[in-house]
Amino acid sequence: MSRMSIPVPKASTSSSGKSAPAPGAQSGSIKTPGPNFRPPSGASFLFRIDQLSPDFAACPPQFGELNRWKPPFYTNAYRSAQGTLYRWRNGLATIAPPGTTVGAEYSCATVFAHYPWTEHFLAAGFDGRTRNINPDGWRPLGFNHVECPDNSEYSELDFEDICAENHLVAPAAAGQPAWINELFTSQYRYNTQNGPPPPSAGLTGKLSLLLALVAFSRPAAQIHTALTTNMQPGRWISTGLGETGGGFTRFRGMVVTIWLDPQSGTTSTILREIERGRHGAFFR
């Protein structure tokens, strides 16, 4: 099992939005504060989740290797429904008041469920409605396993091509936290045939992807419940709906956009620290 060194250099992004593999995603460890989630007091950001579905009238479905469907490549190939603006503060999401002003865009991801062809999510690191996606630009999700001082390891979520692993640290076993089964399909779980995993310190990673997984944990009409009830500071409250909660469905997609919050003054640096687990696990 590979462990990751921190910091990992930023991946370069081409015009297609496909990141080049980052050097350094390999063995190493960091001194983190541990798994308890302790973001800086008042840390916040604004975000919105827009629902997507392919518009096959505008662009016929595309199929690749093994005749598996690929999400749309072109900006006009989607039907979309704008979501609600939320404010995330210290781990809790609430609907932002009318008239809330967003700051600079921090990150964005377009994510689709690849059901029923595979159990993967496929993602691109920008809004697919604003620029075309290279046919090879849809990427699975991956993880870097980041060692903590107590020898447990974070599963740090990112795009697969800049990660050392394609699975979580933790297996799906009795007594494991609900987020393992409810945010991820079995494709992403640790295979115990490879030997026992190290203790899991929880889940960290790219905020736009984490929020997409939260939204996929329930059907589209129940996103608000997932964001405000199931997502809690440093922990995931079970939906009770089983694996991905019925939200991992055919042709379902979304765009997650995150903006800085002018009200709090939280910087990009602080958000990157939250993503890297410097303030503890997003879900434990």
Side-chain angles (χ1 to χ4, degrees):
M1 178 188 304
S2 298
R3 297 192 180 104
M4 180 183 146
S5 298
I6 298 294
V8 171
K10 274 189 173 181
S12 60
T13 305
S14 68
S15 59
S16 69
K18 184 174 176 65
S19 296
Q26 52 188 344
S27 63
S29 63
I30 61 172
K31 297 301 182 184
T32 71
N36 295 324
F37 192 56
R38 300 188 299 274
S41 179
S44 68
F45 59 84
L46 298 163
F47 71 94
R48 194 181 71 212
I49 301 175
D50 298 341
Q51 295 297 306
L52 293 185
S53 61
D55 185 351
F56 292 134
C59 184
Q62 304 291 316
F63 294 87
E65 184 181 0
L66 301 178
N67 203 34
R68 292 171 175 169
W69 174 74
K70 289 188 174 184
F73 305 145
Y74 304 111
T75 59
N76 66 342
Y78 303 97
R79 294 187 178 94
S80 65
Q82 183 171 301
T84 301
L85 184 67
Y86 285 84
R87 172 175 280 117
W88 180 99
R89 186 188 299 275
N90 289 343
L92 292 171
T94 56
I95 295 176
T100 296
T101 300
V102 301
E105 182 177 304
Y106 172 71
S107 68
C108 183
T110 305
V111 187
F112 270 87
H114 203 219
Y115 177 87
W117 292 272
T118 72
E119 291 187 345
H120 288 98
F121 293 97
L122 297 178
F126 56 89
D127 187 341
R129 300 168 298 181
T130 62
R131 58 185 169 120
N132 293 337
I133 296 175
N134 184 294
D136 295 323
W138 287 106
R139 292 168 282 164
L141 306 184
F143 307 90
N144 287 306
H145 295 175
V146 184
E147 188 177 9
C148 298
D150 62 359
N151 295 321
S152 64
E153 294 185 8
Y154 288 130
S155 299
E156 186 182 298
L157 177 68
D158 210 316
F159 297 103
E160 186 183 54
D161 56 349
I162 55 174
C163 290
E165 306 287 356
N166 59 13
H167 58 83
L168 294 160
V169 171
Q176 293 288 346
W179 62 262
I180 296 171
N181 292 324
E182 296 182 3
L183 299 183
F184 294 96
T185 61
S186 60
Q187 183 73 35
Y188 295 101
R189 296 171 198 153
Y190 184 91
N191 187 347
T192 53
Q193 292 181 352
N194 297 328
S200 172
L203 181 66
T204 65
K206 193 172 290 296
L207 289 167
S208 55
L209 298 179
L210 289 169
L211 290 171
L213 294 181
V214 170
F216 272 111
S217 73
R218 286 181 174 270
Q222 300 177 18
I223 282 181
H224 178 75
T225 301
L227 293 172
T228 60
T229 300
N230 303 114
M231 183 175 72
Q232 295 293 310
R235 63 194 181 110
W236 176 255
I237 305 299
S238 175
T239 64
L241 299 177
E243 183 178 294
T244 65
F248 186 76
T249 56
R250 183 182 176 96
F251 301 137
R252 185 184 181 191
M254 60 190 68
V255 174
V256 181
T257 308
I258 295 175
W259 296 274
L260 299 181
D261 186 357
Q263 185 182 93
S264 70
T266 301
T267 64
S268 296
T269 299
I270 291 174
L271 296 187
R272 283 193 292 270
E273 289 177 349
I274 291 172
E275 291 180 321
R276 304 305 299 275
R278 301 291 188 186
H279 302 285
F282 201 80
F283 294 128
R284 175 65 191 264

